[in-house]
Amino acid sequence: MSQLDAYLFFDGNCAEAMRFYERTLGGKLEAMMTHGDSPMAEQSPPGSADLIMHARLALDGHVLMASDGMPGQRQERKGFSLSLTYPTAAEANKKFEALGAGGKVTMPFDKTFWAEGFGMLVDRFGTPWMVSGGTAEP
């Protein structure tokens, strides 16, 4: 069976973002390698030694991977959201609040026809999230 996981590109703050996601989501950072620490360090572009070449966060059987883009190659994140689903609205709201600290709420966390709690935000690193918890009763 194949697995679909997300890979994010940051603009020089990948390490900070991935450590934040590890703390906030309760995952485990399995890898965090800079260009300077890689076996290909000599081939990396000038100014990229401290940038993250690859990071991997394990989270309940899923993986969130990321790196910093190359200097001068900033990529805007649009057209997607990372989706988190929790068994209860209380759990989901706690994660929503933590992810939203310093970010922008685009849809406040509230009851919907499909979930006891659902909300959307863009975190302080520019990553869009949809957070859902509990199944709504018909």
Side-chain angles (χ1 to χ4, degrees), residues 31-110:
M32 181 96 73
M33 179 186 289
T34 65
H35 283 271
D37 291 334
S38 82
M40 299 175 57
E42 294 174 6
Q43 299 169 350
S44 295
S48 66
D50 293 330
L51 296 177
I52 300 300
M53 178 182 237
H54 180 71
R56 177 183 169 98
L57 175 67
L59 180 64
D60 295 329
H62 298 279
V63 176
L64 178 61
M65 295 175 285
S67 66
D68 284 313
M70 288 292 122
Q73 296 180 0
R74 179 162 165 53
Q75 297 179 4
E76 184 179 349
R77 284 184 234 138
K78 61 182 180 178
F80 77 96
S81 289
L82 297 180
S83 179
L84 295 169
T85 303
Y86 294 92
T88 68
E91 285 179 87
N93 190 44
K94 183 177 178 182
K95 299 299 182 183
F96 182 84
E97 293 294 327
L99 284 168
K104 178 183 178 188
V105 172
T106 56
M107 180 178 175
F109 193 86
D110 205 351

